[in-house]
Amino acid sequence: MNIKSISHETIQGTDNVLTTVIINQVSSQCILARVMIDLLGKPGIDNDMEMMGTGDTWTIIWTQPIAIIEKTQSLLTKAIH
């Protein structure tokens, strides 16, 4: 798995920041889901993560927990390697 991109976007009219991560070369979406749960916690309880994708490219979005891009990239890099 490789991180293709990471971005943060302020949601207009709120204090929320939307984090979007695109990961490619995903051989198993089940492994990716497990990595993201280990990283962010349980969806619906610890975060509001959503995963979308097909084949080997997946997009993961969330607003909670908030982390700066550098920290997000560092944690993801450690988690997927």
Side-chain angles (χ1 to χ4, degrees):
M1 287 185 267
N2 288 317
I3 300 168
K4 186 174 180 180
S5 67
I6 298 174
S7 65
H8 287 313
E9 180 181 340
T10 303
I11 299 173
Q12 190 173 6
T14 73
D15 293 333
N16 293 329
V17 175
L18 179 69
T19 301
T20 302
V21 177
I22 299 174
I23 298 179
N24 60 6
Q25 298 180 356
V26 175
S27 59
S28 168
Q29 64 267 28
C30 294
I31 293 172
L32 176 59
R34 182 79 257 163
V35 165
M36 294 308 298
I37 290 169
D38 288 347
L39 180 66
L40 298 175
K42 295 179 183 177
I45 297 172
D46 301 319
N47 66 67
D48 58 358
M49 171 182 70
E50 292 186 33
M51 296 177 59
M52 300 163 283
T54 61
D56 70 347
T57 302
W58 284 77
T59 301
I60 301 101
I61 60 171
W62 70 89
T63 61
Q64 296 295 327
I66 298 172
I68 60 172
I69 286 180
E70 292 81 9
K71 182 177 180 183
T72 302
Q73 181 158 2
S74 173
L75 291 171
L76 279 170
T77 300
K78 287 178 185 178
I80 65 175
H81 291 281

